[in-house]
């Protein structure tokens, strides 16, 4: 998964993942069909299809945030799966932003997200993701089942290291007796977990989530984790910009993929040139603008 | 939620929550109907109903572990919801073991698990839980939307503090420069988050997950967090026993609810007196044995 991701980033010159985190506010009225969970799920799926149709030739991956679907129950999650499957059918990699984490036997069940699930003699893939995000608070045995999947299949994981939100400091920024900060210790654990899973391009299938909102920490982590690919949230709506991201990339202009959600998917609402019939055109323009902005970080 | 939980624990003399974490291995052949996700989901639901029918008059709550359903995709999660709804219909409280955690706007979406979701003018509750478990790694703003729900509704949350698995030490047991261990710092955060939400019985709607496998730490946390109710995994199959739990209870024999999953739901497989037609009878006997074992901890 990681080698293919890097290859696609290079081919498209776009270290960009489009976050598919739709809210009702960003969905045009013409796609809405009523006030039921089923109708809302239908609107989420249709909206995502328009975004995917508009950007699939520009970016390597999409990242649906499962919470935005889970809030609408079973019907919402059907839209999540339909979105992931549609994105795959368009050649996109799918990074499921699920942030799961649990003790070993339970983690093995969650690992079905990327590893599939045994049903009789078949392995089914009910979630259709190529990679997922994970939470490290439960420690190594909560990650092992995912490492096993990554070893056996072309799949990947991204562990939370330093998240983009203001509250991330409550726990992640505490200083340990050893002198390390908590997130630095987690970074070292993540590097270690990924050691045996480094691909042809020098990056591991075990990546890290590092928020764009903390440029200094991002730069330091880039140096600390030379074989760990970064998934970078917090660009755009959360405040990070291209120049803040300079330190997140390696000397070859690789090493991270930057997420933008609302900045792309709700772009049609932000400029009066667009209207509710131009969801895709606005998204496409926003991706191209982001690509240009990120050139500042790479060059 | 917390006052009702305590009242039910007292009435039943059972600080016990039955973990509904079914695997195919523990489900009798007679309940299986084939090799499809739908057939498996049907078997999970039927199995859980037999357990619930057998124990609903003995215990205050059940705790379905969502990973065991999520592994079977949408169909699996339909079994999760059907289980939660059936348990509620039998008067049980439902603690969803979901261990979610994300940045603020996303956390607000996850909060639909207990707070419900706005659909037109209605608030729907697609997940049917009374309380859920949460992961604290993302800090305070990831918890705030859940605190808002707890303030407005009779719902609860349990934050991971010290988990029951061997790997819990990788991060949770690190010593901070301040002298505290990471999980102690998290414990203090959790106490603080719960301060405004203490019920009539002196316990907050904001509880903590503290593993039975660490008796010394449990005792120390009990003293450290006098208003925080504990959800205690790791009893039985994971190694904890009644006498290990003495320190988890307060002077009134309250303050925690102990989970057992396989020890109850797979009891029919562990004793040849039982067979696949005695799933419920075996579960009932296991609950009664656990109740007696826990008396040692309380008296």
């Amino acid at each position: 998964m990681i080698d293919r991701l890097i290859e696609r980033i290079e081919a498209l010159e776009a270290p960009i993942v489009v976050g598919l985190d739709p809210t009702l506010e960003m969905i045009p009225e013409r796609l809405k069909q009523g006030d039921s969970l089923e109708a809302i799920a239908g609107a989420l799926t249709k909206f995502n299809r328009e975004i995917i149709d508009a950007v699939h030739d520009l970016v390597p991956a999409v990242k649906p945030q499962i919470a935005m679907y889970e809030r609408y129950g079973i019907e919402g999650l059907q839209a999540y799966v339909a979105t992931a499957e549609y994105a795959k059918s368009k050649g996109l990699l799918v990074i499921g932003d699920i942030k799961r984490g649990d003790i070993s036997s339970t983690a093995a069940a969650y690992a079905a997200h990327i590893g599939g699930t045994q049903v009789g003699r078949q392995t089914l893939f009910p979630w259709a993701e190529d990679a997922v995000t994970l939470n490290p608070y439960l420690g190594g045995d909560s990650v092992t089942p995912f490492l096993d999947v990554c070893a056996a299949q072309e799949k990947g994981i991204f562990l939370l290291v330093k998240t983009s939100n203001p509250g991330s400091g409550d726990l992640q920024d505490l200083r340990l007796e050893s002198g390390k900060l908590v997130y630095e210790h987690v970074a070292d654990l993540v590097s270690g977990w990924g050691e045996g899973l480094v691909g042809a391009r020098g990056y591991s299938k075990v990546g890290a989530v590092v928020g764009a909102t903390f440029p200094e920490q991002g730069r330091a982590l880039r140096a600390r984790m030379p074989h760990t690919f970064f998934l970078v949230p917090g660009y755009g709506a959360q405040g990070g910009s291209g120049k803040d991201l300079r330190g997140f990339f390696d000397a070859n202009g690789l090493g991270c993929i930057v997420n933008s959600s609302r900045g792309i998917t709700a772009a049609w609402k932000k400029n009066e040139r667009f209207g509710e019939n131009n969801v895709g055109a606005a998204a496409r323009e926003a991706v191209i603008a982001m690509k240009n902005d990120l050139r500042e970080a790479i060059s």
Side-chain angles (χ1 to χ4, degrees), chain A:
Chain A
M1 183 268 170
I2 186 67
D3 288 338
R4 184 166 157 224
L5 179 64
I6 293 170
E7 179 200 299
R8 294 295 295 153
I9 288 173
E10 286 188 317
L12 298 165
E13 297 178 30
I16 296 174
V17 51
V18 176
L20 298 173
D21 315 352
T23 60
L24 292 183
E25 293 69 38
M26 68 172 77
I27 299 181
E29 289 305 318
R30 68 181 163 82
L31 295 177
K32 295 181 184 168
Q33 294 155 334
D35 289 338
S36 68
L37 292 173
E38 215 173 356
I40 291 172
L44 298 180
T45 305
K46 283 186 196 162
F47 179 74
N48 288 340
R49 278 176 174 250
E50 290 198 8
I51 301 290
I52 291 166
D53 285 342
V55 304
H56 72 91
D57 59 330
L58 295 178
V59 299
V62 291
K63 181 176 76 63
Q65 165 53 262
I66 201 168
M68 306 312 280
Y69 306 84
E70 202 166 306
R71 77 190 307 171
Y72 296 114
I74 298 296
E75 288 85 354
L77 288 169
Q78 283 170 330
Y80 176 87
V81 173
T83 296
E85 286 175 347
Y86 189 70
K88 277 174 97 87
S89 79
K90 291 287 182 176
L92 292 161
L93 288 161
V94 177
I95 302 172
D97 200 351
I98 67 173
K99 295 190 179 69
R100 302 299 193 247
D102 214 303
I103 67 166
S104 54
S105 56
T106 310
Y110 276 134
H113 269 276
I114 52 171
T117 200
Q118 203 64 29
V119 174
R121 290 179 182 188
Q122 281 188 292
T123 303
L124 302 181
F125 292 85
W127 294 103
E129 298 130 336
D130 297 293
V132 291
T133 57
L134 297 178
N135 185 313
Y137 189 69
L138 286 100
D141 60 14
S142 74
V143 180
T144 305
F146 290 88
L147 300 180
D148 293 344
V149 172
C150 290
Q153 301 180 39
E154 276 310 311
K155 303 286 176 165
I157 53 177
F158 294 91
L159 272 292
L160 302 184
V161 171
K162 175 65 183 156
T163 57
S164 61
N165 57 317
S168 71
D170 289 348
L171 178 54
Q172 298 163 28
D173 290 355
L174 299 175
R175 174 127 0 237
L176 296 168
E177 198 183 38
S178 67
K180 290 185 198 178
L181 300 175
V182 165
Y183 77 80
E184 291 171 338
H185 185 90
V186 172
D188 295 345
L189 288 175
V190 171
S191 291
W193 294 334
E195 256 172 25
L197 295 163
V198 176
R201 302 300 302 271
Y203 281 104
S204 173
K205 291 174 174 177
V206 179
V209 174
V210 182
T213 43
F214 300 103
E216 220 176 288
Q217 292 88 331
R219 185 192 319 269
L221 287 171
R222 178 71 290 149
R224 192 181 194 107
M225 318 173 80
H227 302 295
T228 307
F229 210 82
F230 292 172
L231 172 63
V232 181
Y235 173 89
Q238 285 179 56
S241 77
K243 61 178 175 0
D244 295 327
L245 293 174
R246 198 172 274 273
F248 290 66
F249 290 87
D250 66 20
N252 301 315
L254 291 172
C256 80
I257 186 162
V258 183
N259 180 77
S260 177
S261 302
R262 277 166 290 172
I264 293 168
T265 55
W268 70 274
K269 295 194 79 167
K270 286 188 194 140
N271 190 319
E272 56 187 25
R273 278 189 297 118
F274 300 114
E276 69 160 40
N277 292 318
N278 304 109
V279 169
R284 199 171 167 87
E285 196 175 287
V287 168
I288 292 166
M290 183 173 170
K291 215 171 130 169
N292 291 328
D293 184 42
L294 290 181
R295 281 219 184 88
E296 277 198 58
I298 300 169
S299 59

